[in-house]
Amino acid sequence: VELKEGGSDLFVTKDNLAEYVKLFLKYYLYDRSQAQLTTFLKGFHEIIPQSFLSIFTEDEFERIMCGVSDISVADWKQNVTYRREFKEEGENHPVIVWFWEAVTELSTEDREKLLQFITGSSRVPVGGFAGFESGKSMLISIESITKEMSVFPRAHTCFNRMELPLYDTKEELVERLKFALEFTNGFNLE
C-alpha cells in the first residue's frame, strides 16, 4: 500500500521519517478501516441522528453509553430489595448491616468488582442504582441462603441477585466476600 503517491519508490530516511510515521499511522488507524467505519456510522446515525449526538460532550456520551463508575453506597442501599430471611428486617438484619459496613470499607476497585459480581457490569446506570429497574432490568436483590447451601456469596447476574449466606460474624462475611470477588470471574458465576 502506498502511503503517498510514488511512495513505493522512496526510501525512509532520517529526513522523511516523521512524514512516514504520520502517513503510516493515518493509514493504519483511519484509512484502512474507513469503509467499515463509514458503514457503521451510517447505520448508527439511522438509529440515532447525528444532530441528537452533537449536544453531548464526549464525557456525557460515554456516561450515557457506559454508565457511571462512581458507586454511591447510600444510593445502592436505597435501591436494593431483600429476600427470604432478609426480607422482614431489611437493612437492619445483622448480616445485612455487616454487608453494608463491608461494602463501605471496600476500595473503589473492589466495589466495582462487587457490582460486576452481582450484575455483570462494573458500572452504575446513568440514573443511579434506580436505573437498574428500567427496561427489562431489575433492582439488585440480596437473598439469604444457609451456609449449607454455600459458604460463599453467589450471584445470578441475569437477575441482578446475590445470595448471601447467613454468616455468624462480620469477619466471616468480609473474608468470604473478598474471596468471592478475588477468585470469581467470567463464566464461573452461577
Side-chain angles (χ1 to χ4, degrees):
V1 173
E2 282 196 343
L3 301 178
K4 72 178 202 175
E5 194 168 325
S8 61
D9 297 326
L10 298 175
F11 290 99
V12 177
T13 65
K14 268 177 38 179
D15 296 333
N16 65 7
L17 179 62
E19 179 187 18
Y20 169 77
V21 170
K22 180 181 174 184
L23 291 171
F24 178 80
L25 288 174
K26 179 182 175 287
Y27 167 76
Y28 193 78
L29 297 174
Y30 178 72
D31 294 342
R32 77 178 188 153
S33 60
Q34 184 178 9
Q36 294 90 339
L37 182 60
T38 301
T39 302
F40 170 79
L41 287 174
K42 181 180 176 198
F44 185 80
H45 292 307
E46 283 180 15
I47 298 167
I48 304 173
Q50 191 169 2
S51 60
F52 289 4
L53 297 175
S54 65
I55 63 172
F56 299 109
T57 66
E58 67 181 62
D59 290 336
E60 291 169 332
F61 186 67
E62 180 183 8
R63 272 183 293 215
I64 290 169
M65 296 301 293
C66 302
V68 181
S69 62
D70 182 43
I71 298 175
S72 164
V73 176
D75 181 36
W76 194 346
K77 281 175 77 169
Q78 289 177 347
N79 292 287
V80 69
T81 59
Y82 301 101
R83 298 172 50 155
R84 292 192 180 164
E85 198 164 315
F86 298 147
K87 187 173 185 171
E88 190 174 315
E89 292 182 66
E91 66 182 73
N92 295 317
H93 190 285
V95 174
I96 296 299
V97 170
W98 299 332
F99 172 76
W100 288 119
E101 287 173 359
V103 172
T104 302
E105 294 164 6
L106 290 174
S107 67
T108 301
E109 181 182 342
D110 284 341
R111 284 187 198 159
E112 289 174 354
K113 285 181 184 178
L114 177 60
L115 186 59
Q116 174 119 30
F117 177 76
I118 299 170
T119 68
S121 172
S122 62
R123 298 279 188 137
V124 180
V126 174
F129 281 90
F132 278 112
E133 195 169 34
S134 63
K136 293 183 179 181
S137 191
M138 56 194 73
L139 284 177
I140 293 172
S141 65
I142 303 174
E143 184 172 313
S144 67
I145 57 172
T146 64
K147 288 196 286 185
E148 288 76 27
M149 294 172 75
S150 176
V151 295
F152 296 104
R154 300 189 302 198
H156 300 274
T157 57
C158 292
F159 304 105
N160 292 341
R161 183 174 74 222
M162 180 176 67
E163 295 176 341
L164 191 60
L166 294 165
Y167 294 114
D168 297 317
T169 66
K170 177 182 174 184
E171 293 73 26
E172 182 183 18
L173 181 147
V174 169
E175 178 187 327
R176 301 291 167 83
L177 181 63
K178 286 186 175 182
F179 184 89
L181 296 181
E182 188 65 33
F183 295 103
T184 305
N185 59 27
F187 295 104
N188 296 353
L189 304 178
E190 288 189 31

